[in-house]
Amino acid sequence: MESNYQDRIPNNVDLGSNRTLQRALEHWQPEFLNWWHGLGPSDFNASEVYLRTAISVDTKGWATFGYVKMPEYRWGIFLAEPGTDRRIGFGDNYGQPVWQQVPGEHRSTLRRLIVTQGDTEPASVEQQRLLGHTAPSLYDLRNLFQVNVEEGRHLWAMVYLLHAYFGRDGREEAEELLERHSGDADKPRILSTFNEPISDWLSFYMFTYFTDRDGKFQLKSLAESSFDPLSRTCQFMLTEEAHHMFVGDTGIGRVIKRTIEVMKELGTDDPEAVRKAGAVDLPTVQRYLNFWFSSSLDLFGGDSSSNAASYFANGLKGRPDEERYEDHVATGQSYTLELPNGKGGAKREEIPMRNAMNEVVRESYVRDCEKGLARWNRLLEEAGYPHRMMLPSTRFRRTVGSWANIPTDLNGKPIGAEEFAARETEWLPTENDRAYVRSLMHGVFERGKMAGWIAPPERGINTQPRDFEYVKLP
Ligand code: BYC
């Protein structure tokens, strides 16, 4: 597949040969830029940022690095190479050829899935729009903007599908993707987590660790889709997504590393002392983690879901890495859920496997989240501290699924609403925590300098040194 990088909209979908589609997307482009100027990163549009830009899908050289002003970023449309004779990998139509067009009977469901995916991309940019002002270093500022422009490209990826395959409805949906806004009282973003404010960098790292990881799992599920253009676009999006989770993983690791240094210098792990010394105490890190992990768990949908069953049956959305499973049809199987029993405990209930697909994916997600915790806990262990970061139970603070609005402790034990209210400040960020974390947030824009609450990264970006001028401010 040839890449047309010189076109007004860079692409490898031969956009030039479809004038109507090209014109429709060129019409959407200024609306996107308007949105970027209004709700994208505030104030840094004149800065030269050392950014990675996707230029093709060639695994050896898919991106270039160089200084770019964000509004001049080349947001392109790139789909992974088509497979030869790709077949449907799961569900009732297992083994049949994949679809190059949208089957009429699945049109509205596929559109809904694509719109939901597309909605999260600009939402996250909106959530993060003010963070640039308080970046702990030029390295972090650059990473924030890298994440932001790539979420912009992921929006383009979904808008391309809507325009190319869903006619007028698709074009209308593409417009609405720019009309809903994160946290807006009248037109909020579709999924809950994408309406939460991200007003400090600890939240940003938690979001890129936990919420972008939901993105990874959802994109992997959609990469299995029988609708081949959706599958191929998600495959390529995953290439970029890895860096976003890296930013979260290393960001949280660097916060903990700095806290350990401060605890060592002080000779105490007392949270108040740590705060006085300008670092983030570990209980606060844990409370932020509890907040973002539980919020991100909701993004997988209900644990028993007829939607999920029909996505699977119809081949619209599979399980991540579907080829690892033995049975791709999953009709005769069941899954045991633990549900609240209404008496302060849990009961087990078997449901058909297809209805449990959200839970299956959520489970793999939780295993993946644990890897970061193991790394952060190794830092604590090596430094000789007994404290360990932990993931709360998947029942904790849920607003979607069987455990929605059932108060539990961090271990998932159901408790009374009064007990939850009394202990909430132990478990979730308090106003005081948030105010303290915000008080640490001051932009550090000198080359090679780092805010005092976070350790420097192990290495720079794209083999550049850590003190590279990652952003040239005007
Ligand atoms: N908030 O049958 P149910 C990313 C809705 S992140 C609000 O339980 P289903 C990224 C649900 O839509 C990945 N509403 O769930 C990360 C449904 O509404 P409708 C984004 C929710 O349908 C960082 C109803 O409740 N991609 O890429 O099996 C930065 C009953 O739903 C929520 C996708 O999500 C919630 N948390 O699964 C940038 C993939 N949860 O349809 C980007 C596409 C559920 O009855 N989306 N609902 O009106 C999907 O596959 C599914 O829509 C979901 C829900 C997995 C989200």
Side-chain angles (χ1 to χ4, degrees), residues 112-118 120-125 127-128 147 151 154 189-194 207-208 211-216 218-219 222 237 241 244 295-309 311 317 358 399-401:
R112 176 85 184 145
L113 285 171
I114 291 168
V115 165
T116 306
Q117 177 64 49
T120 63
E121 316 288 0
S124 66
V125 178
Q127 286 170 292
Q128 297 161 14
V147 169
E151 300 304 5
H154 293 179
R189 290 296 177 182
I190 297 172
L191 298 175
S192 46
T193 312
F194 295 89
F207 180 91
T208 42
T211 311
D212 276 273
R213 194 170 306 275
D214 167 55
K216 166 182 165 182
Q218 297 298 334
L219 290 174
L222 294 173
M237 287 159 77
E241 200 62 39
H244 306 188
S295 179
S296 303
L297 289 173
D298 280 341
L299 294 172
F300 291 82
D303 38 5
S304 170
S305 164
S306 56
N307 284 349
Y311 301 153
K317 187 182 170 199
N358 288 343
T399 64
V400 170

Short mmCIF file of all heavy atoms in Angstrom, two decimals, residues 112-118 120-125 127-128 147 151 154 189-194 207-208 211-216 218-219 222 237 241 244 295-309 311 317 358 399-401, ligand 1:
data_model
loop_
_atom_site.label_atom_id
_atom_site.label_comp_id
_atom_site.label_asym_id
_atom_site.label_seq_id
_atom_site.Cartn_x
_atom_site.Cartn_y
_atom_site.Cartn_z
N ARG A 112 -22.06 2.69 16.04
CA ARG A 112 -22.06 3.03 17.47
C ARG A 112 -20.70 2.70 18.11
O ARG A 112 -20.16 3.48 18.89
CB ARG A 112 -23.19 2.25 18.16
CG ARG A 112 -23.27 2.41 19.64
CD ARG A 112 -24.06 3.63 20.03
NE ARG A 112 -24.05 3.82 21.48
CZ ARG A 112 -24.03 5.00 22.07
NH1 ARG A 112 -24.03 6.10 21.36
NH2 ARG A 112 -24.04 5.10 23.38
N LEU A 113 -20.15 1.54 17.76
CA LEU A 113 -18.84 1.16 18.32
C LEU A 113 -17.76 2.13 17.86
O LEU A 113 -16.91 2.56 18.65
CB LEU A 113 -18.47 -0.27 17.88
CG LEU A 113 -19.21 -1.40 18.59
CD1 LEU A 113 -18.92 -2.74 17.92
CD2 LEU A 113 -18.80 -1.46 20.07
N ILE A 114 -17.79 2.50 16.59
CA ILE A 114 -16.77 3.40 16.05
C ILE A 114 -16.92 4.80 16.66
O ILE A 114 -15.93 5.44 17.02
CB ILE A 114 -16.86 3.43 14.50
CG1 ILE A 114 -16.42 2.07 13.95
CG2 ILE A 114 -16.02 4.56 13.90
CD1 ILE A 114 -16.72 1.84 12.48
N VAL A 115 -18.17 5.22 16.82
CA VAL A 115 -18.40 6.54 17.44
C VAL A 115 -17.92 6.53 18.90
O VAL A 115 -17.27 7.48 19.35
CB VAL A 115 -19.89 6.94 17.34
CG1 VAL A 115 -20.23 8.10 18.27
CG2 VAL A 115 -20.24 7.30 15.90
N THR A 116 -18.20 5.46 19.62
CA THR A 116 -17.78 5.40 21.02
C THR A 116 -16.26 5.43 21.12
O THR A 116 -15.69 6.16 21.94
CB THR A 116 -18.33 4.12 21.70
OG1 THR A 116 -19.74 4.07 21.50
CG2 THR A 116 -18.04 4.10 23.18
N GLN A 117 -15.60 4.65 20.26
CA GLN A 117 -14.14 4.68 20.25
C GLN A 117 -13.66 6.09 19.88
O GLN A 117 -12.82 6.67 20.56
CB GLN A 117 -13.60 3.66 19.23
CG GLN A 117 -12.08 3.66 19.07
CD GLN A 117 -11.38 3.24 20.34
OE1 GLN A 117 -11.71 2.25 20.95
NE2 GLN A 117 -10.41 4.04 20.77
N GLY A 118 -14.23 6.65 18.81
CA GLY A 118 -13.79 7.97 18.33
C GLY A 118 -13.99 9.05 19.38
O GLY A 118 -13.18 9.97 19.51
N THR A 120 -13.70 9.00 22.56
CA THR A 120 -12.72 9.04 23.65
C THR A 120 -11.46 9.82 23.26
O THR A 120 -10.79 10.37 24.12
CB THR A 120 -12.26 7.62 24.06
OG1 THR A 120 -11.60 7.00 22.94
CG2 THR A 120 -13.43 6.76 24.48
N GLU A 121 -11.15 9.84 21.97
CA GLU A 121 -9.87 10.41 21.54
C GLU A 121 -9.81 11.93 21.76
O GLU A 121 -8.95 12.40 22.50
CB GLU A 121 -9.58 10.05 20.07
CG GLU A 121 -9.87 8.60 19.67
CD GLU A 121 -8.89 7.59 20.24
OE1 GLU A 121 -7.97 8.01 20.95
OE2 GLU A 121 -9.04 6.38 19.97
N PRO A 122 -10.76 12.70 21.19
CA PRO A 122 -10.72 14.14 21.47
C PRO A 122 -11.04 14.43 22.93
O PRO A 122 -10.57 15.43 23.49
CB PRO A 122 -11.79 14.72 20.54
CG PRO A 122 -12.72 13.58 20.24
CD PRO A 122 -11.86 12.35 20.27
N ALA A 123 -11.84 13.54 23.56
CA ALA A 123 -12.17 13.76 24.97
C ALA A 123 -10.90 13.85 25.79
O ALA A 123 -10.74 14.75 26.63
CB ALA A 123 -13.04 12.62 25.48
N SER A 124 -9.96 12.93 25.54
CA SER A 124 -8.75 12.91 26.37
C SER A 124 -7.92 14.18 26.14
O SER A 124 -7.31 14.71 27.07
CB SER A 124 -7.93 11.65 26.10
OG SER A 124 -7.42 11.66 24.78
N VAL A 125 -7.91 14.67 24.92
CA VAL A 125 -7.16 15.91 24.63
C VAL A 125 -7.80 17.07 25.41
O VAL A 125 -7.10 17.91 26.00
CB VAL A 125 -7.15 16.19 23.10
CG1 VAL A 125 -6.43 17.50 22.80
CG2 VAL A 125 -6.52 15.03 22.34
N GLN A 127 -9.51 16.82 28.17
CA GLN A 127 -9.24 16.63 29.61
C GLN A 127 -7.86 17.16 29.99
O GLN A 127 -7.63 17.62 31.09
CB GLN A 127 -9.31 15.14 29.97
CG GLN A 127 -10.71 14.57 30.01
CD GLN A 127 -10.69 13.06 30.13
OE1 GLN A 127 -10.28 12.36 29.20
NE2 GLN A 127 -11.11 12.54 31.27
N GLN A 128 -6.91 17.06 29.04
CA GLN A 128 -5.51 17.37 29.37
C GLN A 128 -5.09 18.76 28.92
O GLN A 128 -3.91 19.09 28.98
CB GLN A 128 -4.62 16.29 28.71
CG GLN A 128 -4.90 14.90 29.26
CD GLN A 128 -4.41 13.78 28.35
OE1 GLN A 128 -3.63 14.01 27.42
NE2 GLN A 128 -4.87 12.56 28.60
N VAL A 147 1.23 12.56 23.09
CA VAL A 147 -0.01 11.83 23.36
C VAL A 147 -1.18 12.59 22.73
O VAL A 147 -2.03 12.01 22.04
CB VAL A 147 -0.19 11.64 24.88
CG1 VAL A 147 -1.58 11.15 25.22
CG2 VAL A 147 0.87 10.69 25.45
N GLU A 151 -3.69 11.21 19.86
CA GLU A 151 -5.13 11.00 20.09
C GLU A 151 -5.90 11.73 18.99
O GLU A 151 -6.94 11.25 18.52
CB GLU A 151 -5.57 11.50 21.47
CG GLU A 151 -4.88 10.83 22.68
CD GLU A 151 -4.98 9.32 22.74
OE1 GLU A 151 -5.51 8.71 21.79
OE2 GLU A 151 -4.52 8.74 23.74
N HIS A 154 -5.93 9.49 16.12
CA HIS A 154 -6.87 8.38 16.33
C HIS A 154 -8.31 8.84 16.07
O HIS A 154 -9.13 8.07 15.60
CB HIS A 154 -6.71 7.80 17.73
CG HIS A 154 -5.39 7.12 17.92
ND1 HIS A 154 -5.00 6.54 19.09
CD2 HIS A 154 -4.35 6.94 17.05
CE1 HIS A 154 -3.79 6.03 18.95
NE2 HIS A 154 -3.38 6.27 17.72
N ARG A 189 -19.05 13.82 26.94
CA ARG A 189 -18.50 12.68 26.20
C ARG A 189 -19.28 11.42 26.60
O ARG A 189 -19.91 11.38 27.68
CB ARG A 189 -17.01 12.53 26.51
CG ARG A 189 -16.18 13.67 25.90
CD ARG A 189 -16.24 13.64 24.40
NE ARG A 189 -15.54 14.73 23.75
CZ ARG A 189 -15.52 14.90 22.43
NH1 ARG A 189 -16.17 14.06 21.63
NH2 ARG A 189 -14.87 15.90 21.90
N ILE A 190 -19.21 10.37 25.75
CA ILE A 190 -20.10 9.22 25.94
C ILE A 190 -19.74 8.42 27.20
O ILE A 190 -20.61 8.07 27.99
CB ILE A 190 -20.05 8.30 24.69
CG1 ILE A 190 -20.57 9.07 23.47
CG2 ILE A 190 -20.86 7.02 24.92
CD1 ILE A 190 -20.39 8.34 22.14
N LEU A 191 -18.45 8.12 27.37
CA LEU A 191 -18.06 7.21 28.47
C LEU A 191 -17.60 8.00 29.69
O LEU A 191 -16.92 9.04 29.58
CB LEU A 191 -16.97 6.26 28.01
CG LEU A 191 -17.36 5.32 26.85
CD1 LEU A 191 -16.16 4.51 26.40
CD2 LEU A 191 -18.51 4.39 27.26
N SER A 192 -17.95 7.44 30.86
CA SER A 192 -17.78 8.14 32.13
C SER A 192 -16.38 8.73 32.37
O SER A 192 -16.25 9.93 32.65
CB SER A 192 -18.13 7.17 33.26
OG SER A 192 -17.52 5.91 33.03
N THR A 193 -15.35 7.90 32.26
CA THR A 193 -14.00 8.34 32.63
C THR A 193 -13.56 9.57 31.83
O THR A 193 -12.74 10.36 32.29
CB THR A 193 -13.00 7.19 32.37
OG1 THR A 193 -13.54 6.01 32.94
CG2 THR A 193 -11.64 7.45 32.96
N PHE A 194 -14.12 9.71 30.64
CA PHE A 194 -13.68 10.79 29.76
C PHE A 194 -14.35 12.11 30.08
O PHE A 194 -14.16 13.10 29.37
CB PHE A 194 -13.86 10.37 28.30
CG PHE A 194 -12.98 9.20 27.97
CD1 PHE A 194 -13.41 7.90 28.16
CD2 PHE A 194 -11.67 9.42 27.57
CE1 PHE A 194 -12.57 6.82 27.91
CE2 PHE A 194 -10.82 8.35 27.33
CZ PHE A 194 -11.27 7.05 27.50
N PHE A 207 -4.00 8.28 34.33
CA PHE A 207 -4.88 8.14 33.16
C PHE A 207 -4.14 7.41 32.03
O PHE A 207 -4.70 6.50 31.41
CB PHE A 207 -5.31 9.54 32.70
CG PHE A 207 -6.22 9.54 31.50
CD1 PHE A 207 -7.60 9.51 31.65
CD2 PHE A 207 -5.71 9.59 30.20
CE1 PHE A 207 -8.45 9.51 30.55
CE2 PHE A 207 -6.55 9.59 29.09
CZ PHE A 207 -7.92 9.55 29.27
N THR A 208 -2.90 7.81 31.76
CA THR A 208 -2.20 7.16 30.63
C THR A 208 -1.84 5.72 31.00
O THR A 208 -1.72 4.88 30.12
CB THR A 208 -0.95 7.96 30.17
OG1 THR A 208 -0.25 8.42 31.32
CG2 THR A 208 -1.34 9.12 29.30
N THR A 211 -6.20 4.28 31.90
CA THR A 211 -7.27 4.50 30.92
C THR A 211 -6.78 4.22 29.49
O THR A 211 -7.48 3.61 28.69
CB THR A 211 -7.86 5.91 31.07
OG1 THR A 211 -8.14 6.12 32.46
CG2 THR A 211 -9.13 6.08 30.27
N ASP A 212 -5.56 4.66 29.18
CA ASP A 212 -5.02 4.30 27.87
C ASP A 212 -4.90 2.78 27.73
O ASP A 212 -4.97 2.24 26.62
CB ASP A 212 -3.65 4.95 27.62
CG ASP A 212 -3.81 6.36 27.09
OD1 ASP A 212 -3.94 6.52 25.86
OD2 ASP A 212 -3.83 7.30 27.90
N ARG A 213 -4.72 2.11 28.84
CA ARG A 213 -4.64 0.64 28.77
C ARG A 213 -6.02 0.04 28.44
O ARG A 213 -6.10 -0.98 27.78
CB ARG A 213 -4.10 0.08 30.09
CG ARG A 213 -3.66 -1.39 30.03
CD ARG A 213 -2.92 -1.77 31.30
NE ARG A 213 -1.83 -0.83 31.52
CZ ARG A 213 -0.62 -0.94 30.96
NH1 ARG A 213 -0.33 -1.97 30.22
NH2 ARG A 213 0.29 -0.02 31.18
N ASP A 214 -7.09 0.68 28.90
CA ASP A 214 -8.40 0.24 28.41
C ASP A 214 -8.41 0.41 26.89
O ASP A 214 -8.87 -0.47 26.16
CB ASP A 214 -9.54 1.05 29.04
CG ASP A 214 -10.86 0.82 28.29
OD1 ASP A 214 -11.24 -0.36 28.16
OD2 ASP A 214 -11.47 1.79 27.82
N GLY A 215 -7.84 1.56 26.43
CA GLY A 215 -7.75 1.78 24.98
C GLY A 215 -7.05 0.62 24.30
O GLY A 215 -7.51 0.10 23.29
N LYS A 216 -5.94 0.18 24.89
CA LYS A 216 -5.21 -0.95 24.30
C LYS A 216 -6.13 -2.17 24.14
O LYS A 216 -6.19 -2.78 23.08
CB LYS A 216 -4.01 -1.29 25.19
CG LYS A 216 -3.36 -2.63 24.89
CD LYS A 216 -2.20 -2.92 25.85
CE LYS A 216 -1.77 -4.37 25.81
NZ LYS A 216 -0.69 -4.68 26.76
N GLN A 218 -9.47 -2.36 24.22
CA GLN A 218 -10.60 -2.15 23.31
C GLN A 218 -10.12 -2.18 21.86
O GLN A 218 -10.77 -2.75 20.99
CB GLN A 218 -11.31 -0.83 23.63
CG GLN A 218 -11.94 -0.77 25.02
CD GLN A 218 -13.02 -1.82 25.23
OE1 GLN A 218 -13.65 -2.28 24.29
NE2 GLN A 218 -13.24 -2.20 26.47
N LEU A 219 -8.97 -1.55 21.61
CA LEU A 219 -8.45 -1.55 20.24
C LEU A 219 -8.09 -2.96 19.79
O LEU A 219 -8.30 -3.34 18.65
CB LEU A 219 -7.23 -0.63 20.12
CG LEU A 219 -7.50 0.87 20.22
CD1 LEU A 219 -6.18 1.66 20.24
CD2 LEU A 219 -8.37 1.37 19.07
N LEU A 222 -11.26 -4.61 18.87
CA LEU A 222 -11.78 -4.14 17.59
C LEU A 222 -10.86 -4.54 16.43
O LEU A 222 -11.31 -4.67 15.29
CB LEU A 222 -11.96 -2.62 17.62
CG LEU A 222 -13.04 -2.10 18.59
CD1 LEU A 222 -13.01 -0.57 18.66
CD2 LEU A 222 -14.44 -2.58 18.17
N MET A 237 -3.27 1.83 15.14
CA MET A 237 -3.39 2.72 16.31
C MET A 237 -2.64 2.13 17.51
O MET A 237 -2.05 2.85 18.32
CB MET A 237 -4.86 2.92 16.67
CG MET A 237 -5.60 3.82 15.70
SD MET A 237 -7.39 3.58 15.76
CE MET A 237 -7.83 4.45 17.26
N GLU A 241 -0.21 3.64 20.56
CA GLU A 241 -0.74 3.56 21.92
C GLU A 241 0.32 3.12 22.93
O GLU A 241 0.31 3.55 24.09
CB GLU A 241 -1.92 2.57 21.92
CG GLU A 241 -2.89 2.69 23.06
CD GLU A 241 -3.61 4.02 23.13
OE1 GLU A 241 -4.00 4.58 22.10
OE2 GLU A 241 -3.78 4.51 24.25
N HIS A 244 1.93 5.81 24.88
CA HIS A 244 1.07 6.50 25.85
C HIS A 244 1.10 5.77 27.20
O HIS A 244 1.19 6.39 28.26
CB HIS A 244 -0.37 6.60 25.33
CG HIS A 244 -0.45 7.23 23.96
ND1 HIS A 244 -1.63 7.57 23.37
CD2 HIS A 244 0.51 7.58 23.07
CE1 HIS A 244 -1.40 8.09 22.17
NE2 HIS A 244 -0.11 8.10 21.96
N SER A 295 -12.30 3.74 37.99
CA SER A 295 -13.00 4.43 36.91
C SER A 295 -12.77 3.71 35.58
O SER A 295 -13.70 3.51 34.79
CB SER A 295 -12.51 5.88 36.84
OG SER A 295 -13.16 6.55 35.80
N SER A 296 -11.54 3.29 35.34
CA SER A 296 -11.21 2.65 34.06
C SER A 296 -11.87 1.28 33.93
O SER A 296 -12.21 0.85 32.82
CB SER A 296 -9.69 2.54 33.89
OG SER A 296 -9.11 3.83 33.98
N LEU A 297 -12.09 0.59 35.05
CA LEU A 297 -12.77 -0.71 35.00
C LEU A 297 -14.18 -0.59 34.41
O LEU A 297 -14.66 -1.48 33.72
CB LEU A 297 -12.87 -1.33 36.40
CG LEU A 297 -11.58 -1.84 37.02
CD1 LEU A 297 -11.84 -2.24 38.47
CD2 LEU A 297 -11.01 -3.02 36.24
N ASP A 298 -14.82 0.54 34.70
CA ASP A 298 -16.17 0.75 34.18
C ASP A 298 -16.20 0.80 32.65
O ASP A 298 -17.25 0.57 32.04
CB ASP A 298 -16.75 2.07 34.73
CG ASP A 298 -17.27 1.92 36.15
OD1 ASP A 298 -17.53 0.78 36.58
OD2 ASP A 298 -17.44 2.95 36.82
N LEU A 299 -15.07 1.15 32.06
CA LEU A 299 -15.05 1.33 30.60
C LEU A 299 -15.20 0.02 29.82
O LEU A 299 -15.33 0.04 28.61
CB LEU A 299 -13.73 2.00 30.19
CG LEU A 299 -13.56 3.42 30.70
CD1 LEU A 299 -12.16 3.92 30.42
CD2 LEU A 299 -14.58 4.33 30.04
N PHE A 300 -15.16 -1.10 30.53
CA PHE A 300 -15.33 -2.37 29.84
C PHE A 300 -16.80 -2.75 29.71
O PHE A 300 -17.13 -3.76 29.11
CB PHE A 300 -14.54 -3.48 30.56
CG PHE A 300 -13.05 -3.28 30.42
CD1 PHE A 300 -12.37 -2.41 31.25
CD2 PHE A 300 -12.35 -3.93 29.42
CE1 PHE A 300 -11.01 -2.20 31.10
CE2 PHE A 300 -11.00 -3.73 29.25
CZ PHE A 300 -10.32 -2.86 30.09
N GLY A 301 -17.69 -1.96 30.30
CA GLY A 301 -19.13 -2.26 30.22
C GLY A 301 -19.56 -3.23 31.30
O GLY A 301 -18.77 -3.61 32.18
N GLY A 302 -20.82 -3.66 31.24
CA GLY A 302 -21.38 -4.55 32.25
C GLY A 302 -20.71 -5.91 32.24
O GLY A 302 -20.23 -6.36 31.19
N ASP A 303 -20.67 -6.58 33.40
CA ASP A 303 -20.03 -7.91 33.46
C ASP A 303 -20.89 -8.96 32.77
O ASP A 303 -20.39 -9.96 32.29
CB ASP A 303 -19.68 -8.31 34.90
CG ASP A 303 -20.71 -7.88 35.93
OD1 ASP A 303 -21.77 -7.35 35.52
OD2 ASP A 303 -20.47 -8.05 37.13
N SER A 304 -22.20 -8.74 32.76
CA SER A 304 -23.06 -9.62 31.98
C SER A 304 -23.74 -8.70 30.97
O SER A 304 -24.50 -7.81 31.34
CB SER A 304 -24.09 -10.26 32.91
OG SER A 304 -25.05 -10.93 32.14
N SER A 305 -23.43 -8.88 29.69
CA SER A 305 -23.88 -7.90 28.70
C SER A 305 -24.40 -8.59 27.44
O SER A 305 -23.66 -9.32 26.77
CB SER A 305 -22.71 -6.97 28.36
OG SER A 305 -22.97 -6.26 27.18
N SER A 306 -25.68 -8.33 27.13
CA SER A 306 -26.22 -8.91 25.89
C SER A 306 -25.62 -8.17 24.70
O SER A 306 -25.47 -8.74 23.62
CB SER A 306 -27.74 -8.83 25.88
OG SER A 306 -28.14 -7.51 26.07
N ASN A 307 -25.24 -6.90 24.88
CA ASN A 307 -24.53 -6.18 23.79
C ASN A 307 -23.26 -6.93 23.43
O ASN A 307 -23.00 -7.21 22.26
CB ASN A 307 -24.08 -4.78 24.25
CG ASN A 307 -25.21 -3.78 24.30
OD1 ASN A 307 -26.29 -4.05 23.80
ND2 ASN A 307 -24.96 -2.63 24.88
N ALA A 308 -22.47 -7.24 24.48
CA ALA A 308 -21.18 -7.90 24.24
C ALA A 308 -21.40 -9.25 23.56
O ALA A 308 -20.65 -9.62 22.65
CB ALA A 308 -20.43 -8.09 25.56
N ALA A 309 -22.46 -9.97 23.99
CA ALA A 309 -22.75 -11.28 23.38
C ALA A 309 -23.05 -11.11 21.90
O ALA A 309 -22.57 -11.88 21.06
CB ALA A 309 -23.92 -11.94 24.10
N TYR A 311 -22.14 -8.56 19.93
CA TYR A 311 -20.93 -8.13 19.20
C TYR A 311 -20.10 -9.38 18.84
O TYR A 311 -19.57 -9.50 17.75
CB TYR A 311 -20.01 -7.23 20.02
CG TYR A 311 -20.61 -5.93 20.54
CD1 TYR A 311 -20.10 -5.34 21.71
CD2 TYR A 311 -21.65 -5.27 19.88
CE1 TYR A 311 -20.62 -4.15 22.20
CE2 TYR A 311 -22.17 -4.09 20.38
CZ TYR A 311 -21.65 -3.53 21.54
OH TYR A 311 -22.16 -2.37 22.03
N LYS A 317 -16.82 -7.49 17.35
CA LYS A 317 -15.80 -7.16 18.34
C LYS A 317 -15.41 -8.45 19.04
O LYS A 317 -16.28 -9.13 19.61
CB LYS A 317 -16.41 -6.16 19.34
CG LYS A 317 -15.45 -5.60 20.33
CD LYS A 317 -16.13 -4.66 21.32
CE LYS A 317 -15.15 -4.33 22.42
NZ LYS A 317 -15.81 -3.82 23.62
N ASN A 358 -17.26 -8.96 28.22
CA ASN A 358 -16.69 -7.75 28.82
C ASN A 358 -15.83 -8.11 30.03
O ASN A 358 -14.77 -7.52 30.27
CB ASN A 358 -17.79 -6.79 29.29
CG ASN A 358 -18.50 -6.11 28.13
OD1 ASN A 358 -18.00 -6.10 27.00
ND2 ASN A 358 -19.68 -5.56 28.41
N THR A 399 -19.38 1.98 38.97
CA THR A 399 -20.65 2.63 38.61
C THR A 399 -21.32 1.91 37.44
O THR A 399 -22.39 2.30 36.99
CB THR A 399 -20.47 4.12 38.25
OG1 THR A 399 -19.66 4.19 37.09
CG2 THR A 399 -19.79 4.89 39.36
N VAL A 400 -20.66 0.88 36.92
CA VAL A 400 -21.21 0.09 35.82
C VAL A 400 -21.11 -1.38 36.22
O VAL A 400 -20.13 -1.78 36.83
CB VAL A 400 -20.39 0.35 34.52
CG1 VAL A 400 -20.77 -0.62 33.42
CG2 VAL A 400 -20.55 1.79 34.04
N GLY A 401 -22.13 -2.17 35.87
CA GLY A 401 -22.06 -3.62 36.12
C GLY A 401 -22.74 -4.00 37.43
O GLY A 401 -23.33 -3.17 38.12
N1 BYC B 1 -19.72 5.02 30.79
O1 BYC B 1 -23.91 -3.75 27.70
P1 BYC B 1 -23.12 -2.73 28.42
C1 BYC B 1 -9.45 4.70 24.48
C2 BYC B 1 -23.05 2.06 28.31
S1 BYC B 1 -10.47 3.94 25.60
C3 BYC B 1 -20.87 5.36 30.18
O2 BYC B 1 -22.79 -2.96 29.82
P2 BYC B 1 -21.29 -2.82 26.29
C4 BYC B 1 -8.66 5.84 24.95
C5 BYC B 1 -22.88 1.31 27.00
O3 BYC B 1 -22.28 2.15 25.99
C6 BYC B 1 -11.38 2.72 24.68
N2 BYC B 1 -21.66 4.46 29.56
O4 BYC B 1 -21.78 -2.41 27.71
C7 BYC B 1 -8.09 5.85 26.20
C8 BYC B 1 -24.29 0.91 26.70
O5 BYC B 1 -24.98 2.02 26.14
P3 BYC B 1 -25.98 1.80 24.90
C9 BYC B 1 -12.63 3.25 24.02
C10 BYC B 1 -21.25 3.18 29.58
O6 BYC B 1 -22.07 -2.13 25.25
C11 BYC B 1 -7.37 6.96 26.62
C12 BYC B 1 -24.89 0.66 28.09
O7 BYC B 1 -24.03 1.35 29.02
N3 BYC B 1 -13.18 2.29 23.13
O8 BYC B 1 -9.40 4.30 23.36
O9 BYC B 1 -21.09 -4.26 26.22
C13 BYC B 1 -7.21 8.04 25.78
C14 BYC B 1 -24.96 -0.80 28.45
O10 BYC B 1 -23.68 -1.30 28.22
C15 BYC B 1 -20.09 2.77 30.20
C16 BYC B 1 -14.29 1.57 23.36
O11 BYC B 1 -14.94 1.70 24.36
C17 BYC B 1 -19.30 3.75 30.84
N4 BYC B 1 -18.15 3.47 31.46
O12 BYC B 1 -19.80 -2.21 26.40
C18 BYC B 1 -7.78 8.04 24.53
C19 BYC B 1 -14.69 0.58 22.30
N5 BYC B 1 -19.97 1.43 30.06
O13 BYC B 1 -25.13 1.33 23.75
C20 BYC B 1 -8.49 6.92 24.09
C21 BYC B 1 -16.08 0.75 21.81
C22 BYC B 1 -21.03 1.02 29.37
O14 BYC B 1 -26.96 0.78 25.39
N6 BYC B 1 -17.08 0.59 22.85
N7 BYC B 1 -21.80 2.08 29.06
O15 BYC B 1 -26.52 3.19 24.70
C23 BYC B 1 -17.55 -0.60 23.27
O16 BYC B 1 -17.09 -1.64 22.86
C24 BYC B 1 -18.67 -0.63 24.25
O17 BYC B 1 -19.48 0.46 23.98
C25 BYC B 1 -18.25 -0.58 25.73
C26 BYC B 1 -19.51 -0.89 26.56
C27 BYC B 1 -17.13 -1.58 26.01
C28 BYC B 1 -17.79 0.80 26.15
#
